[in-house]
Amino acid sequence: MKLKFGKLLISSAIFMLCSSVQASEPQLLGEHGDWKAYMFMENSGKVCYMVSQPKKDEGDYVQRGDIFALITHRPSEGSKNVFSYIAGYTYKSGSEVTVLVNNQNFKLFTQDDSAWAPDDATDNKLADAVRRGSTLVVKGVSSRGTATTDTFGLSGSSAAHKAISSECGV
């Protein structure tokens, strides 16, 4: 289920994560290998994020929505390196997501179709691993009990992170 990045898909994904409805259209900062970097204005502050879709998605499912991995900076809120994941399905209630990068395991908590790191320290470690790694593997379980494994390439992740950090002054 390899999807092309489209402005509409990216806009939809990031707006689902936004807490405010007063946001501008995302502007592409650059394409870097497997990742794209974007910036938009939310209220009076910049939001910068990098996003990718999996090279391979596995699971015994009939239908699944768009899948995205993101790292986001919101400097006006003192927030940086926030890792989030949109699964393309609703997660099993109370389930965790496992992320493997460079032989490092991370656990994310879930809500609806998204997953996040539990704290800033985990966000920073995960963002650092993504910048230095070659693959990112995300495993989760849908509300129907379907196990999924999504594999992302990390080519260009360091350059994408540099682009969003520079744009947002992080």
Side-chain angles (χ1 to χ4, degrees):
M1 172 167 70
K2 184 81 171 167
L3 294 174
K4 297 259 184 207
F5 284 103
K7 194 168 187 177
L8 180 60
L9 291 176
I10 300 301
S11 297
S12 297
I14 199 65
F15 285 127
M16 289 189 324
L17 296 173
C18 294
S19 59
S20 172
V21 293
Q22 294 182 342
S24 66
E25 280 290 313
Q27 297 173 15
L28 180 66
L29 299 174
E31 297 182 32
H32 307 278
D34 297 319
W35 292 78
K36 290 189 177 190
Y38 289 88
M39 183 281 295
F40 69 93
M41 297 300 293
E42 180 180 70
N43 296 326
S44 61
K46 277 187 182 179
V47 177
C48 301
Y49 66 97
M50 55 190 270
V51 61
S52 187
Q53 287 188 281
K55 290 183 168 280
K56 183 176 174 184
D57 54 290
E58 302 171 89
D60 187 21
Y61 49 84
V62 176
Q63 184 176 337
R64 188 171 179 190
D66 298 331
I67 308 163
F68 298 101
L70 301 102
I71 294 176
T72 305
H73 298 324
R74 283 188 168 85
S76 66
E77 296 176 13
S79 171
K80 68 177 186 176
N81 291 326
V82 175
F83 184 88
S84 58
Y85 194 73
I86 300 172
Y89 59 75
T90 302
Y91 282 112
K92 180 178 181 180
S93 182
S95 68
E96 287 186 325
V97 168
T98 302
V99 177
L100 176 66
V101 188
N102 308 338
N103 297 319
Q104 295 179 63
N105 279 303
F106 301 92
K107 296 287 186 187
L108 308 180
F109 71 92
T110 62
Q111 181 178 352
D112 301 324
D113 67 344
S114 299
W116 296 274
D119 52 47
D120 293 345
T122 304
D123 275 330
N124 289 324
K125 288 177 188 172
L126 188 46
D128 185 58
V130 166
R131 288 193 320 265
R132 298 174 188 272
S134 58
T135 58
L136 167 78
V137 178
V138 181
K139 295 183 178 192
V141 178
S142 76
S143 60
R144 296 182 179 191
T146 303
T148 60
T149 301
D150 303 321
T151 304
F152 292 77
L154 296 179
S155 169
S157 60
S158 183
H161 191 271
K162 185 176 180 178
I164 66 170
S165 296
S166 176
E167 180 67 28
C168 268
V170 173

